[in-house]
Amino acid sequence: MAQAAPVGNEPDELESFISNSLVISEISHLSQQVGQQASTLVVNAMGFLGVPYRRGGNTAENGFDCSGFVRAMFEQTVGLILPRRAREQAESTQPIDPKDLQPGDLVFFNTMRQKFSHVGIYLGDHKFIHSPKPGERVRVDDMRQAYWERRFTGARRVPANSEQP
């Protein structure tokens, strides 16, 4: 699957993000702001921080690629089975205006000269969680970083009534 990640994102940045009281506060208030499913989805996804990237991976035991991570989080948490590839996930979800992003929405990036070659789960405050590329691990990044900002191709919402395969 897609490979993506800016260079120089140090582990201490991730630790600092996780320990940031604003993030903890956001997570604890998610159920009030966007509903229990989105809150559960985000909290569940955060539990997989540090799982290694693996092309074609879709389990914590073997590692995740970007779309495998998103698919696993939705299946485990919400009970919805999304398509396997990032492009297919974009095609099967509802486009939304980026200003309307809510935790649990999907964010897409062009990282391999394809409009929807990378996907992550939006957390709030311009942050998203994803499995970036070989040699990296599931982590949180800021969409305002120049690397991500230049490659952002859209925001999508998974309909509550998504069909099962």
Side-chain angles (χ1 to χ4, degrees):
M1 189 65 351
Q3 300 176 24
V7 182
N9 194 10
E10 302 297 324
D12 56 359
E13 292 176 26
L14 180 59
E15 291 170 10
S16 129
F17 174 78
I18 294 168
S19 64
N20 183 331
S21 62
L22 175 63
V23 172
I24 304 302
S25 173
E26 283 184 36
I27 290 172
S28 68
H29 290 95
L30 278 176
S31 61
Q32 295 169 2
Q33 295 174 4
V34 297
Q36 189 58 42
Q37 279 191 334
S39 175
T40 303
L41 176 70
V42 168
V43 170
N44 185 51
M46 294 292 281
F48 290 89
L49 286 167
V51 172
Y53 177 96
R54 179 170 175 228
R55 182 178 171 85
N58 55 17
T59 67
E61 296 77 25
N62 295 321
F64 292 110
D65 64 15
C66 67
S67 59
F69 175 69
V70 167
R71 187 174 200 254
M73 295 307 101
F74 273 86
E75 185 175 357
Q76 291 174 15
T77 309
V78 186
L80 297 176
I81 299 175
L82 297 177
R84 181 60 184 89
R85 294 190 167 95
R87 178 186 49 78
E88 295 166 343
Q89 289 175 357
E91 292 169 353
S92 69
T93 53
Q94 299 172 343
I96 57 170
D97 190 304
K99 70 180 176 20
D100 296 328
L101 272 167
Q102 296 177 1
D105 288 338
L106 303 182
V107 288
F108 291 89
F109 303 88
N110 178 342
T111 59
M112 297 179 71
R113 298 182 184 183
Q114 296 174 20
K115 186 174 182 181
F116 300 114
S117 54
H118 188 70
V119 61
I121 300 171
Y122 187 71
L123 299 175
D125 192 31
H126 306 281
K127 307 287 192 294
F128 71 107
I129 187 168
H130 64 126
S131 186
K133 67 178 183 176
E136 299 287 339
R137 297 175 179 275
V138 172
R139 70 176 188 221
V140 173
D141 277 320
D142 193 312
M143 293 174 58
R144 296 171 294 189
Q145 287 178 323
Y147 179 90
W148 296 115
E149 211 168 46
R150 283 191 311 269
R151 289 165 176 80
F152 180 74
T153 56
R156 306 284 175 136
R157 185 158 295 146
V158 177
N161 60 349
S162 290
E163 293 183 23
Q164 300 299 312

